[in-house]
Amino acid sequence: MLTHGLHYASAVFEGERAYGGTVFKLREHTQRLFDSARILDFEIPYTLQEIDDATQATLAKNGLVDGYLRPIAWRGSEMMGVSAQHNKINVAIAAWEWPSYFSPAERLKGIRLDWAKYRRPDPRTAPSLAKASGLYMICTISKHEAERRGYADALMLDWEGNVAEATGANVFFVKDGVIHTPLADRFLNGITRQTVIGLAKARGIEVVERRILPEELSTFSECWLCGTAAEVTPVSEIGEYRFTPGKISEMLMNDYTAATVPAAEKLAVNA
Ligand code: PMP
């Protein structure tokens, strides 16, 4: 109960998915866990390889082939107070089934998003680039508010009023066959976001990372969210703006699914 992580949010975590028994982008997620911990001024007392191995082992021990994994690292209860110089760093990994973050029926026709009442904090105000538990307080409040109003999620602006991201996923738009997405220098640069950018470029589609103002949303035809849990999920509505899931969203949904197939299975299919 006196865990520092609980009282002062000195905790960082990851969200990973396993497909066909293999954790997708495992090393990238483990590396981000270590990077997030350093941003919060603590070191994870294991090697990257030990955490990778423990993550795969947790999946197997839970009898899961497809599943969601949640490594978390937090300061323990040795000292109480803001200073936690001598608290032990604990690491745990949980695994469970999480078939789809948004309901499958909603996913295909596009989910509806509300505007969040909170904004992503200025990197001078909070460690915006870490996947830190404390940053999710405003996400939970915003998502609850959106759900009460009948929406699936909320879209957050950055502190300057540019479009930032949803409460647990990054956002993309399409205009005239070109993909536009907010520059990820002030919120989490999702591993799925980076994967989707790579997949789009491999298809020869131009991807522009830039500041996007909310009023520009009227000029976009397609929109989707992406993240480990959300995968690629088309969006039909953000506040007063409307989008129609189209060819590019569908192509990237399919390309993302294909990319998550473990290498061993791909070899078997090609053989
Ligand atoms: N932004 C936030 C706030 C998130 O919680 C997540 C999910 N981890 C993402 C973006 C997407 O990150 P990733 O693709 O690495 O899961």
Side-chain angles (χ1 to χ4, degrees), residues 29 32 131 136 165 167-170 188 190-192 226-228:
H29 282 284
R32 189 170 66 186
K131 195 165 167 65
Y136 284 86
E165 57 171 351
T167 62
N170 293 117
L188 204 67
I191 291 165
T192 318
C226 75
T228 297

